[in-house]
Amino acid sequence: SNWTMVRQFLFPGGSFSMEIWQDNFYIGRALGGVWVSKDRGANWKDISTGLGSAVVQHLEAFGDTLAAASDKGVFLLRKVDTTWQHISCNLPGSGFIKVQATPNHLWVLAENGGVWRLPRGSFAQSANTPELLAPFRVFPNPAGDYLSFASGAGTWFMYDLQGRQLATGRTATDAELTTLRLDNLQTGQYLLKVQCQGKSQTARFIKQ
């Protein structure tokens, strides 16, 4: 087979990923961020708002959405948006090397070899509604002396139903689960909030 060079991409440090979506070229730079060209590589525009310093390992287009797997998590960019939406706050760890869309799910491959999937209906409709992430689950619930949950890099907070903060700490990003001791809590209902990348989710649990 004879290959033909269409355009030489001159990015300092090189690039890690490429996707062609709706006749546009998207490049994940090795130094971080995503750039787009609408004229087959002649001119490029930085569209990294919301990604921070994330190095994108893989790009996947589906429907009106572009997904990115990176060393900082999994992100989505809709055609109508200008800011990437972070959707992996409640996954263990933060490094992902591949993302793939099927008709019903978005699948991601983590650097540690773990495979995760998220129903496509779970996505927020826009970056303007960032709280609609994948379902946040704590277990067992009701709980005894221990409570566990899966989360990415972030901070957890525990409250009573009156809103008083009882405890806080960092999530165990290098383990599959974060486990909390509850033996100092009285029987009743409590709230657990996890904050990640400026977004948060809250779950209610019962201490027996």
Side-chain angles (χ1 to χ4, degrees):
S1 299
N2 296 319
W3 289 83
T4 300
M5 176 179 286
V6 177
R7 179 73 64 175
Q8 185 174 3
F9 304 130
L10 300 177
F11 286 115
S15 56
F16 276 157
S17 54
M18 183 190 79
E19 178 69 303
I20 300 175
W21 180 41
Q22 299 182 355
D23 295 326
N24 297 330
F25 287 5
Y26 293 83
I27 293 289
R29 293 185 60 198
L31 298 180
V34 173
W35 289 61
V36 62
S37 173
K38 298 183 179 181
D39 52 13
R40 294 184 176 270
N43 297 281
W44 292 90
K45 179 182 178 181
D46 186 357
I47 56 166
S48 304
T49 302
L51 287 175
S53 61
V55 176
V56 175
Q57 308 279 357
H58 186 252
L59 291 165
E60 172 88 351
F62 59 99
D64 66 345
T65 304
L66 185 66
S70 78
D71 62 336
K72 305 295 184 183
V74 182
F75 297 82
L76 296 182
L77 179 69
R78 295 187 181 277
K79 193 70 173 178
V80 298
D81 291 330
T82 58
T83 301
W84 290 83
Q85 177 191 2
H86 185 244
I87 63 165
S88 57
C89 282
N90 56 349
L91 287 178
S94 59
F96 299 90
I97 59 176
K98 186 175 177 61
V99 57
Q100 183 170 345
T102 59
N104 297 319
H105 293 89
L106 188 69
W107 301 76
V108 293
L109 174 64
E111 290 178 345
N112 62 9
V115 177
W116 301 81
R117 73 178 187 183
L118 176 67
R120 284 175 56 166
S122 300
F123 305 158
Q125 293 303 308
S126 168
N128 296 323
T129 54
E131 298 300 327
L132 298 178
L133 306 176
F136 175 48
R137 187 171 69 93
V138 297
F139 57 92
N141 191 10
D145 291 336
Y146 296 92
L147 183 74
S148 297
F149 61 93
S151 174
T155 305
W156 60 266
F157 306 86
M158 190 179 298
Y159 302 91
D160 61 20
L161 295 188
Q162 286 70 49
R164 292 186 292 260
Q165 182 176 309
L166 305 177
T168 186
R170 298 290 296 174
T171 59
T173 58
D174 292 331
E176 183 173 349
L177 299 174
T178 298
T179 300
L180 308 179
R181 292 184 61 94
L182 306 179
D183 50 357
N184 60 335
L185 294 182
Q186 297 180 353
T187 299
Q189 296 188 50
Y190 298 87
L191 300 174
L192 181 68
K193 174 182 175 181
V194 173
Q195 188 169 357
C196 170
Q197 296 282 332
K199 304 175 180 65
S200 64
Q201 285 192 302
T202 303
R204 180 178 299 203
F205 68 93
I206 300 173
K207 168 64 166 65
Q208 291 183 331

